[in-house]
Amino acid sequence: MDHKQRVELIIEGAGCASCVGKIEGALKDVSGVVSAEMNFAERTVSVEGEVPIDDLIKAVESVGYNAKGSEGVSEDDLMDEKEATDLAYYKRLVREMTIALTLGVPLMAYSLIVGEMTVTTTTERIVWLIVGLLTAGVMYFSGKHFYVGAWKSFWNHSANMDTLIALGTGTAWFYSMVVVFFPTAVPDMARHVYFEATAMIIGLIDLGLALELKARGRTSQAIKRLIGLQAKTARVIRDGKEIDIPIEMVLLNDHVRVRPGEKIPVDGIVVEGHTAIDESMLTGEPMPVEKKESDEVVAGTLNKTGSVVFKATRVGKDTALAQIINMVKRAQNSKPPIGRLADIISAYFVPVVMIIAVVSALVWLNFGPEPAVAFAIVSATTVLIIACPCALGLATPMSVMVGVGKAAEAGVLIRNGEALQTASKITAMILDKTGTITLGAPKVTSIHLVNAEDEDSVLQLASSLEAGSEHPLAMSIVESAQEQGLSPSAVEQFKAIAGHGVEGVVEGKELLFGNEKLMRDRRINVDDAVDVAQQMAAEAQTPMYFAVGGELAAIIAVSDPIKEDSIEAIKRLQKNGIRVVMLTGDNRATARAVANKVGITEFFAEVLPEEKSNKVAELQMQGEVVGMTGDGINDAPALALANVGFAIGTGTDVAIESADITLMRGSLHGLADAIAVSKATLRNIKQNLFGAFIYNVAGVPFAAGVLYPFFGLLLSPVIAGAAMAFSSVTVVTNANRLRLFKAQEH
């Protein structure tokens, strides 16, 4: 395993939340492991580090569980294998439940209709011996996995859910067999058998596990849909012939043909043809996007109209779709801080419950009414069964899986659980102007001549100077010159002056192009042109001063159109009580014009790239939880410093790897959607944790018999088993409610 490489292990035998800490702890103890995060809901663990996979598997086995790697298996095959495994496990659980309840239900009915199941006569001893042996069969055929798991935990000096179930059901059965074989050794009032409790508890818990497994399968639907976007084959052109091959065999620079109605198999650049492509499955953007020569196409998107040929630029695991699938899976495996709390509690919960069960039994034996032994057995068994922390372990990962998947469907990629949780608390959102609020595709809108003869010569010289720059405004100058049919000349001594402009020599002329500050620093007189520049800026145009040979030649104004839905999206954020702040390197007048158009009252203009992170820090000092939204590249320091960094990218950009949350479509509605999903997910986690905590904590005293002195009520182990089994189902069902969540755009 290469350094920083992630490996996913599939875990077998993990029964409850307390297993998570043991497995993660064992893996973290392996030299070379950087991090290990287990997704209890999926029974997978993601490991990062530099360790052979065999060592990781041995570490998991050393604490009593089985593991296997998923290396070399495609996502599609892995999902199919997992579904097949889950289906087989589900069928086994249903079979085991049926066997257990076939014995347990009649016994339960007998105890309710006929009455006490006591042993007094020889006939009763024979009958109950047969029932006891049948119950032992149930324990073997339907509950063997609990006892094997408990033994492994004991052997590894730990305890888990299996320990509690095995102790509870085993104690009930063992006591009943003592009553059958040695009735005289037990007081008359205590000659009661509890075979129905053992059979019913095993049956009900198997039923709960089966229902939980069924419901759990629905939480993976987002990943299934993403994997389903992948084409199975590609039509490549080799040696002048078109052949269909599996996508795994597509090579870099292969020419691939895609016909109408087909999926784009790998990422690439169009080299022939024209079409419209539906990218909604990746970006959430409903309108098809026009594609022509030199435009990028992304794997998983759907070709709607024309036939195109494109050159493959990313294949296999390098495609945007493969990266997105990997990112969503990693996010689903990660834990928000609130989830780590549950893991910590679970690690101590089982041992504490075992102590409570022993104390409860001792209290009944010493202070309880007759039959004290029977009461002690019932209370200890009920405490052990009702306290199994299954629901606690599922509470967070189930919600995270659904929430992250739901966000992905809306074109919002969440990197990890911490970002998911923090996004719900954002109080201030910083928006970069260019490419975030605006389209980021500026155009030259006017040229005001000062000491130059004609616009074409100014544009030709300016485009020659800017040809070497990668700034969006520079590109607009070059593109405008190309549209006018003007060819650039060679530039010498080119130098970019960060945050101010550029300089260089073209055709022997010293050129300077940038803002007012740059001109004044170089002692170029711009006094007569400042009013014109300010008027341009007031109209949301960006004026740039162009000097030739130390003299101002012209002012070139560039305008970057505001995105159609920016105003509505910013209103959504403000309605949610979020303080919206705009940052831009543009001049103050242009910034004010844009801010006024989109309804932002707070903005900072002429901010250099390195100063953006200072603005983030300033807001944080004011007590704000800050979200920063930018293009994910030149805003990297600010994105890193913000509580949550949002990158606006197309999915083929570096943005995927540079922020906590990536918005696949260019719309700012993605911000509001991300925050809405985050709030809904966190609310769901809190509901699950509250339900699981209340159930476990409140259930234990009732199981121990706290109501008996007041109302003569003692909870039955069977009821405890049913409650414990269905608590997990309740948590999973509540998490699945998130699948119905819809972020409102208006």
Side-chain angles (χ1 to χ4, degrees), residues 47 98 108 122 183 202 219-220 224 274 510 549 616 634 672 700:
V47 187
T98 305
M108 195 75 181
T122 304
I202 290 172
T219 60
S220 303
K224 288 175 192 170
H274 180 275
E510 291 183 4
V616 172
N634 61 10
V700 169

Side-chain angles (χ1 to χ4, degrees), residues 67-366:
K68 59 181 179 180
S70 58
E71 289 290 282
V73 183
S74 72
E75 294 286 353
D76 212 357
D77 291 343
L78 196 62
M79 190 63 78
D80 288 345
E81 183 185 333
K82 193 171 187 318
E83 284 186 353
T85 304
D86 283 351
L87 181 62
Y89 183 41
Y90 174 77
K91 287 179 177 177
R92 196 189 92 195
L93 286 170
V94 170
R95 187 170 62 248
E96 291 172 351
M97 172 208 71
T98 305
I99 292 170
L101 295 186
T102 299
L103 177 65
V105 170
L107 286 175
M108 195 75 181
Y110 176 83
S111 71
L112 293 171
I113 297 166
V114 178
E116 293 292 311
M117 298 197 295
T118 54
V119 178
T120 51
T121 66
T122 304
T123 304
E124 285 175 340
R125 287 179 68 189
I126 293 168
V127 169
W128 290 119
L129 175 61
I130 293 168
V131 171
L133 293 173
L134 289 172
T135 306
V138 165
M139 293 165 75
Y140 179 78
F141 289 108
S142 301
K144 186 167 86 171
H145 49 288
F146 300 130
Y147 302 105
V148 170
W151 176 251
K152 282 183 178 179
S153 289
F154 172 74
W155 194 250
N156 287 286
H157 313 293
S158 61
N160 60 10
M161 180 194 86
D162 292 336
T163 309
L164 299 180
I165 295 169
L167 278 174
T169 56
T171 302
W173 181 83
F174 182 75
Y175 174 77
S176 300
M177 292 303 283
V178 168
V179 170
V180 170
F181 280 109
F182 311 105
T184 55
V186 182
D188 289 346
M189 293 176 69
R191 292 176 187 173
H192 190 289
V193 292
Y194 296 97
F195 295 126
E196 90 287 0
T198 299
M200 285 295 290
I201 288 166
I202 290 172
L204 288 169
I205 293 173
D206 280 341
L207 172 62
L209 288 172
L211 293 174
E212 174 206 313
L213 188 68
K214 203 74 170 171
R216 236 169 51 202
R218 293 200 293 272
T219 60
S220 303
Q221 287 197 351
I223 283 286
K224 288 175 192 170
R225 273 196 283 272
L226 284 171
I227 290 172
L229 295 178
Q230 293 176 315
K232 305 290 184 190
T233 60
R235 172 161 290 205
V236 299
I237 302 170
R238 289 179 182 169
D239 301 324
K241 294 180 181 178
E242 294 186 7
I243 54 171
D244 290 323
I245 61 172
I247 60 165
E248 294 84 8
M249 295 174 67
V250 178
L251 305 174
L252 275 179
N253 300 321
D254 264 346
H255 280 213
V256 182
R257 180 177 295 282
V258 183
R259 294 166 295 190
E262 293 180 339
K263 289 177 182 174
I264 306 295
V266 294
D267 294 356
I269 295 175
V270 177
V271 294
E272 179 188 314
H274 180 275
T275 188
I277 290 180
D278 179 358
E279 298 183 340
S280 61
M281 60 282 290
L282 288 179
T283 65
E285 201 73 67
M287 293 297 292
V289 182
E290 293 292 320
K291 298 288 182 180
K292 57 186 186 303
E293 284 185 29
S294 301
D295 286 343
E296 287 191 345
V297 291
V298 183
T301 55
L302 185 65
N303 185 28
K304 299 287 283 185
T305 53
S307 174
V308 290
V309 176
F310 68 88
K311 183 173 77 171
T313 55
R314 293 185 188 90
V315 297
K317 291 189 175 181
D318 293 328
T319 66
L321 180 58
Q323 289 178 48
I324 289 165
I325 291 169
N326 185 43
M327 188 171 176
V328 171
K329 286 188 73 175
R330 277 165 58 180
Q332 288 183 333
N333 272 347
S334 69
K335 294 186 186 77
I338 195 171
R340 296 191 188 105
L341 174 67
D343 288 348
I344 292 165
I345 291 170
S346 298
Y348 298 99
F349 199 78
V350 173
V352 168
V353 166
M354 291 170 68
I355 292 167
I356 292 171
V358 171
V359 170
S360 169
L362 290 172
V363 169
W364 278 102
L365 282 171
N366 288 285

Side-chain angles (χ1 to χ4, degrees), residues 507-524:
E507 298 174 1
K509 299 170 184 174
E510 291 183 4
L511 306 181
L512 201 60
F513 194 24
N515 58 20
E516 183 183 342
K517 189 175 187 307
L518 177 64
M519 297 295 139
R520 294 197 184 281
D521 285 349
R522 300 300 174 90
R523 303 185 185 282
I524 292 170

Side-chain angles (χ1 to χ4, degrees), residues 589-742:
T590 306
R592 181 183 286 109
V594 172
N596 288 340
K597 280 188 178 182
V598 298
I600 294 176
T601 56
E602 195 175 353
F603 64 90
F604 297 97
E606 299 174 13
V607 179
L608 298 175
E610 59 268 25
E611 291 175 348
K612 288 183 179 179
S613 55
N614 296 340
K615 296 299 179 186
V616 172
E618 280 177 28
L619 288 180
Q620 288 172 331
M621 290 289 284
Q622 294 169 24
E624 303 281 8
V625 178
V626 181
M628 169 71 198
T629 308
D631 64 10
I633 304 168
N634 61 10
D635 297 317
L639 286 168
L641 185 62
N643 298 89
V644 183
F646 294 83
I648 290 193
T650 59
T652 57
D653 201 325
V654 184
I656 288 181
E657 289 298 323
S658 65
D660 301 306
I661 297 177
T662 300
L663 310 179
M664 298 294 289
R665 55 177 172 158
S667 170
L668 287 180
H669 276 300
L671 281 179
D673 289 345
I675 292 168
V677 168
S678 169
K679 285 182 175 177
T681 304
L682 201 68
R683 189 164 57 245
N684 196 273
I685 290 171
K686 286 176 179 176
Q687 290 166 355
N688 283 347
L689 285 173
F690 178 78
F693 274 127
I694 288 298
Y695 164 79
N696 282 127
V697 174
V700 169
F702 293 125
V706 75
L707 294 178
Y708 190 84
F710 307 103
F711 305 104
L713 294 175
L714 186 60
L715 201 63
S716 161
V718 175
I719 294 172
M724 174 260 165
F726 288 100
S727 65
S728 298
V729 179
T730 305
V731 163
V732 177
T733 305
N734 187 51
N736 270 304
R737 283 194 313 111
L738 269 177
R739 293 171 58 229
L740 306 175
F741 172 79
K742 287 183 180 175

